[in-house]
Amino acid sequence: MELSTGSGMKTTATLGTVFTLVTFAPLLTGFLLVARASYKNRERFRAVCMSEFYDWSAELRAGGDPWSSGDVSYRPPAGVIHRGECNYPPLFLRAFEPLTLMPPVTAYWVWQSILIASLMVATLLMMRELGPPAGVAPYALALGAALMLPEVYGALYESEPTLLLLALLVAAWICDRRERSWAAGLMLALAALLKIYPALAGGYFLARRRWATIAWTIAFGIAGLVLSNIGDQRRFLNASLLHSVWLSDDRWLRNDRSIATLSNIRTVLDWLYGRALPHEAFGLWYGLSAAADILLLVPSFYLTFRTSRDRELDAPCFGLWLCAAIMISPIAWGHYLPLLIPLLLGVAMLMMRRPRFNTSGALMLALGLIGSTAAYFWSPLCRLHAFFIATLLMYLGACLLVSGWNTDGELAAR
């Protein structure tokens, strides 16, 4: 009997060790991938987008106008590089300014550290709010999965602020759930002031009728606009909306990594015309793009409004708004996809808690995730605009899942 008991204890210990290794293997793999990518990209401080952020912010700090482009009368301050064609808001450049006091290589590593830390904080906070089973295993699995998402490395490679925006948006969602409306408004306003498209996440709070959060967002947004200089805001809007290069750059608009409805509809129209879209047809292009964007928002608003009494559906509904936001953003590329992490985590947690789910929705979501991963590694698939198709599949699949869970909840309530 004692031998049997001892053998059973050893077996249990062995199984526990195996479970621990399986649980932490993705996390260890993720950290190794980050270390490998960081070493491989160590010279990227000289490249886009890091070099642009550095030069634009340095010029603004020196009193110049980084949004000026094509103005032959403009003379930049001495000692700074004038790139022009800046499409980032003034607050982002002001927030980046302290890094321009450092050598470019040091600024690059500080910025990369901020982005990686933002990803980790956003993932862990999201998991804590979702209320996973006790223990560290769920957190390790979630963080490992986030670190292994291919486009995380796309964002790091480009030095894009996507991961920082993710942390701010997750913080806004959590603060709102905890009735800290002023903090939620501050986080959402900061995200929108740093990069305009996160403002679309405000639709979630509107559909949930979180009026205090919306009011605080507006108040902090106005304060941010004033504090970051109205004149700079005017120059930014003039450069990015009225005289933006990307509206006339056919090569950019056909970029196969784009996940924006604007550029993907342009690709379809070019194909139908058999050549670059003539300027006279731009009205059709803009009209179709606007209609597509509105259609994207309808299911997000409807599902968020209808599920307002189901607290467990908060996370996937919030994720739907982030997914819609990156497709509506006119300059969204594949490296915006880490903003889908809240949607993916929210859906995964609900699948464990509610085994009954819409099979078609789950299949579409899985195909989208697989497709976006494959497109990252296989360029021929990328050239078929797989990033946009995959993102749309994930969005539609998540809509079906949320709709199914909401229907089950309504039936149970009856």
Side-chain angles (χ1 to χ4, degrees), residues 88-110:
Y88 275 74
L91 188 67
F92 177 85
L93 300 187
R94 292 295 183 193
F96 197 89
E97 274 184 14
L99 297 184
T100 64
L101 300 174
M102 311 173 188
V105 63
T106 305
Y108 171 77
W109 287 114
V110 171

Side-chain angles (χ1 to χ4, degrees), residues 18 53 80 121 123 162 175 178 237 260 285 299 304 326 375 381 408:
V18 171
F53 295 160
V80 300
V121 168
T123 304
T162 305
C175 289
R178 299 189 176 195
L237 291 174
W285 169 36
T304 304
I326 61 177
L381 186 61
D408 288 345

Side-chain angles (χ1 to χ4, degrees), residues 99 109-119 163-164:
L99 297 184
W109 287 114
V110 171
W111 181 238
Q112 288 282 305
S113 299
I114 291 172
L115 297 180
I116 295 169
S118 296
L119 171 67
L163 303 177
L164 176 59

Side-chain angles (χ1 to χ4, degrees), residues 21-31 140-141 143-145 147-148:
L21 291 174
V22 170
T23 300
F24 284 90
L27 182 60
L28 177 60
T29 302
F31 281 133
L141 285 171
L143 185 54
L147 287 170
M148 289 194 294

Side-chain angles (χ1 to χ4, degrees), residues 8-140:
M9 291 177 64
K10 288 182 180 179
T11 301
T12 302
T14 301
L15 290 175
T17 303
V18 171
F19 176 75
T20 300
L21 291 174
V22 170
T23 300
F24 284 90
L27 182 60
L28 177 60
T29 302
F31 281 133
L32 291 175
L33 288 173
V34 168
R36 178 180 178 274
S38 297
Y39 178 76
K40 184 178 179 181
N41 300 334
R42 61 192 181 278
E43 299 296 326
R44 290 288 300 175
F45 68 92
R46 299 188 178 96
V48 174
C49 292
M50 184 65 195
S51 61
E52 291 181 335
F53 295 160
Y54 194 93
D55 292 341
W56 287 334
S57 293
E59 183 176 10
L60 185 61
R61 179 168 62 86
D65 179 9
W67 299 281
S68 176
S69 181
D71 183 359
V72 294
S73 64
Y74 173 71
R75 293 291 180 269
V80 300
I81 298 173
H82 176 65
R83 287 177 174 267
E85 300 179 4
C86 177
N87 60 0
Y88 275 74
L91 188 67
F92 177 85
L93 300 187
R94 292 295 183 193
F96 197 89
E97 274 184 14
L99 297 184
T100 64
L101 300 174
M102 311 173 188
V105 63
T106 305
Y108 171 77
W109 287 114
V110 171
W111 181 238
Q112 288 282 305
S113 299
I114 291 172
L115 297 180
I116 295 169
S118 296
L119 171 67
M120 296 174 65
V121 168
T123 304
L124 294 176
L125 287 178
M126 191 78 198
M127 281 302 293
R128 186 183 68 171
E129 195 65 20
L130 289 173
V136 298
Y139 295 91

Side-chain angles (χ1 to χ4, degrees), residues 203 344 347:
L344 297 173
V347 167

Side-chain angles (χ1 to χ4, degrees), residues 145-160:
L147 287 170
M148 289 194 294
L149 191 67
E151 278 301 334
V152 162
Y153 300 95
L156 291 174
Y157 180 82
E158 300 287 352
S159 292
E160 278 281 334

